[in-house]
Amino acid sequence: VDTMNSILFNDSVVVRSTKSGTATYNNNTGVANYNDETEKYRYTNLSEDENRSTNMQDSIPSTYDYINNHGGFTDDYRLFNIDNKNGELTYQMFLNGRPTFNDENLNNIKVSWGDKGVFSYARALLKANVTIDSGGNETKLPGAETVRSELANNPEINFEDVTNMTIGYRMEEKPDKSDIEIQRNSEFKPQWYVQYNGEWRAYEDGRLE
């Protein structure tokens, strides 16, 4: 957190306040919030207009340089989503060449652009670049045709709204009160994921979670 603050704030005058596990840091140009439990950090640039940029393709090179200069790509992060409406680019963590998914967004980096520069920057301050085999049995997943067929035959799903399917990893935290390091208590489990109506959802037994 101190490293991120020293990079993002232009001067050393930072006011700190802590409440319910969330710390707030600010000066005249920006404000940052850090959640001690999830280790998520979000910075907002107060000198940038909140009006969003709507051409994210042009912002990709600048976003890549910005992240490299503000904490860096601590794991195998890849550009995963472009949201022109909200002016936001999302880089997602990959493991063994496959995307990871997490309900608390602990696996991605989000950068929102204003008219002239970065408006907000959010990421988890975690590293997962060192992994070990859990020793469990191999997980056997159904084939792609089985997944496609079961989704197409599910009356609750409009298969025309399915735009992507991929095998990824569900990133799960297994809290251990005796160990505060969340990365030592995380597990990556293989699972099919389906992009449905623009949202990535886990596939399980013919349905979407």
Side-chain angles (χ1 to χ4, degrees), residues 80-81 159 161-166 193-201 208:
F80 199 72
N81 187 60
F159 193 72
D161 292 330
V162 173
T163 52
N164 271 303
M165 292 167 39
T166 186
Y193 280 86
V194 176
Q195 191 176 30
Y196 184 67
N197 277 329
E199 179 184 0
W200 284 97
R201 296 169 62 179
L208 298 179

Side-chain angles (χ1 to χ4, degrees), residues 77-191:
Y77 282 95
R78 305 182 188 183
L79 182 61
F80 199 72
N81 187 60
I82 297 173
D83 188 339
N84 287 315
K85 181 179 179 181
N86 294 317
E88 185 176 75
L89 290 169
T90 300
Y91 284 81
Q92 197 125 317
M93 183 196 301
F94 276 61
L95 181 68
N96 299 329
R98 298 191 179 277
T100 65
F101 297 87
N102 177 262
D103 294 339
E104 302 297 328
N105 293 324
L106 297 179
N107 62 322
N108 58 37
I109 299 173
K110 293 179 180 288
V111 180
S112 297
W113 284 84
D115 287 334
K116 298 179 181 179
V118 168
F119 173 71
S120 69
Y121 175 44
R123 64 179 300 161
L125 302 186
L126 303 173
K127 288 184 180 181
N129 54 356
V130 177
T131 58
I132 59 174
D133 193 326
S134 66
N137 295 328
E138 288 187 359
T139 300
K140 292 186 178 181
L141 299 177
E145 178 56 28
T146 299
V147 175
R148 186 208 65 78
S149 176
E150 290 185 350
L151 290 175
N153 290 317
N154 186 334
E156 297 181 357
I157 293 176
N158 181 4
F159 193 72
E160 293 182 355
D161 292 330
V162 173
T163 52
N164 271 303
M165 292 167 39
T166 186
I167 292 176
Y169 288 97
R170 181 194 293 270
M171 180 182 175
E172 295 181 343
E173 299 77 54
K174 302 184 73 175
D176 181 351
K177 293 182 180 179
S178 65
D179 190 347
I180 63 172
E181 295 295 335
I182 189 172
Q183 50 264 61
R184 286 201 289 265
N185 292 297
S186 297
E187 219 171 21
F188 293 90
K189 296 181 178 180
Q191 187 164 5

Side-chain angles (χ1 to χ4, degrees), residues 65-78:
D65 290 340
Y66 183 88
I67 294 174
N68 269 325
N69 291 319
H70 297 85
F73 293 96
T74 51
D75 289 287
D76 180 12
Y77 282 95
R78 305 182 188 183

